[in-house]
Amino acid sequence: MTKAITDVRERWGAILKERRDAARLTQETLGRALGVKGSAVSNLECGRTSPTEDVLATLDEALGTGDELARLWDDLSRAGKIPWLGQMEDLEKKAASILEFHPFLVPSLLQTTRYATAVMRAVTPWEPPARTEASVRDRIARGERFQSAETPVMMVVIGRAVLMEPVDAGPIMREQLQHIHALAGSERITLQITDEPLHPGLVGPFTVLDPSPDREIVYAESAHKGQFVHDADAVGEFKLRFHRLQAAALSPTRSLRLVEETIEGFPP
């Protein structure tokens, strides 16, 4: 079994568990609807087995999820998309607010095409160009859907390194900075930049979402595959970390002024 298949199963299984919990069904009860034991549902939720087409249809019917689980499985296992992407976009759509911190990159929802391409080529230079281009298209489309919507409110803190150690010294970075400056000019998106080298965000990038009516959740990035954090105490710690970052960062007004000053340093 390849790592990619395992990852897809785990991501899909986590969503299955969320939908079962929301429906207030036990694994045994859902298993009876499928004609199997509760342990078979446990195996699906833990990513040990893959669902068949019949099981997918029965799960969606039993849980009242339309075709969500079948569609998500197809997205993850057949379309070659990043396994967490479907879940992340679903959470973003439901969220009333998004709190995001990134120490050295512009958050993916706010990236331009050329900036995203430069970042992806740097992170995975071995990927075929066609695959990189497809990933960039998915990222930009997701960002455009977010930017064109009226909700959620987004509060962003980025590291000063985003400005001081840019992905290029020319038009790519200038275009990207102009883009985030324009977005941050609205009341929906607030941008702040860290002011000191030592701060609570040294743990790495993370995002806090509150998808109503579900409880708040954190997505913490890593080089391996990232992690969704559901534990209430851990989520609370990430929220505290973000608010401490906000308190220690430049104000939104000063941050925008710094972006304006930095833009002037890049040729068009």
Side-chain angles (χ1 to χ4, degrees):
M1 184 190 306
T2 67
K3 171 186 171 299
I5 292 174
T6 302
D7 197 35
V8 165
R9 287 176 174 174
E10 290 175 352
R11 298 299 183 187
W12 181 86
I15 298 298
L16 170 60
K17 184 178 186 306
E18 286 183 9
R19 300 300 180 261
R20 178 179 61 77
D21 288 343
R24 299 182 183 277
L25 295 178
T26 64
Q27 291 179 339
E28 289 72 20
T29 303
L30 183 56
R32 284 196 291 272
L34 296 173
V36 298
K37 295 181 179 179
S39 59
V41 175
S42 176
N43 287 335
L44 287 170
E45 292 181 350
C46 294
R48 288 190 287 266
T49 58
S50 300
T52 64
E53 289 187 11
D54 289 342
V55 165
L56 287 167
T58 304
L59 283 171
D60 273 325
E61 181 178 358
L63 295 173
T65 48
D67 65 347
E68 178 190 10
L69 293 172
R71 180 167 43 82
L72 179 61
W73 177 259
D74 184 67
D75 282 347
L76 299 185
S77 63
R78 298 182 180 86
K81 294 183 179 179
I82 299 172
W84 55 265
L85 188 56
Q87 181 179 0
M88 192 66 173
E89 185 164 9
D90 183 51
L91 290 169
E92 290 163 353
K93 289 177 181 177
K94 293 179 179 179
S97 67
I98 297 175
L99 314 178
E100 182 160 356
F101 168 72
H102 207 298
F104 39 79
L105 289 174
V106 172
S108 60
L109 286 176
L110 311 180
Q111 291 179 4
T112 63
T113 299
R114 292 198 293 176
Y115 184 92
T117 301
V119 168
M120 289 190 180
R121 285 178 177 168
V123 173
T124 52
W126 52 83
E127 289 281 9
R131 184 174 298 176
T132 299
E133 291 170 5
S135 297
V136 169
R137 284 196 299 271
D138 284 343
R139 175 173 296 188
I140 297 304
R142 175 171 152 249
E144 288 176 345
R145 287 190 291 272
F146 166 78
Q147 293 164 31
S148 64
E150 295 183 357
T151 58
V153 170
M154 185 177 193
M155 299 181 184
V156 179
V157 177
I158 59 174
R160 187 179 282 261
V162 175
L163 306 184
M164 301 298 104
E165 300 176 14
V167 301
D168 90 319
I172 293 177
M173 198 65 200
R174 183 183 180 91
E175 177 188 51
Q176 178 63 76
L177 292 180
Q178 289 174 330
H179 183 61
I180 61 170
H181 184 276
L183 292 174
S186 71
E187 294 184 357
R188 185 181 162 215
I189 298 174
T190 302
L191 173 69
Q192 290 181 260
I193 300 170
T194 57
D195 194 31
E196 300 291 340
L198 296 177
H199 52 70
L202 294 178
V203 295
F206 64 89
T207 306
V208 182
L209 308 102
D210 60 342
S212 179
D214 301 326
R215 284 189 281 180
E216 291 175 307
I217 187 172
V218 169
Y219 179 75
E221 292 189 27
S222 76
H224 174 48
K225 62 179 179 181
Q227 178 184 10
F228 283 103
V229 180
H230 300 263
D231 179 76
D233 290 339
V235 170
E237 184 175 311
F238 272 103
K239 284 186 67 178
L240 175 61
R241 189 180 302 280
F242 185 82
H243 293 315
R244 290 293 295 270
L245 277 165
Q246 284 183 303
L250 297 173
S251 70
T253 300
R254 290 182 62 194
S255 295
L256 282 180
R257 190 177 305 126
L258 179 58
V259 171
E260 292 170 358
E261 295 169 356
T262 307
I263 287 172
E264 296 306 314
F266 293 103

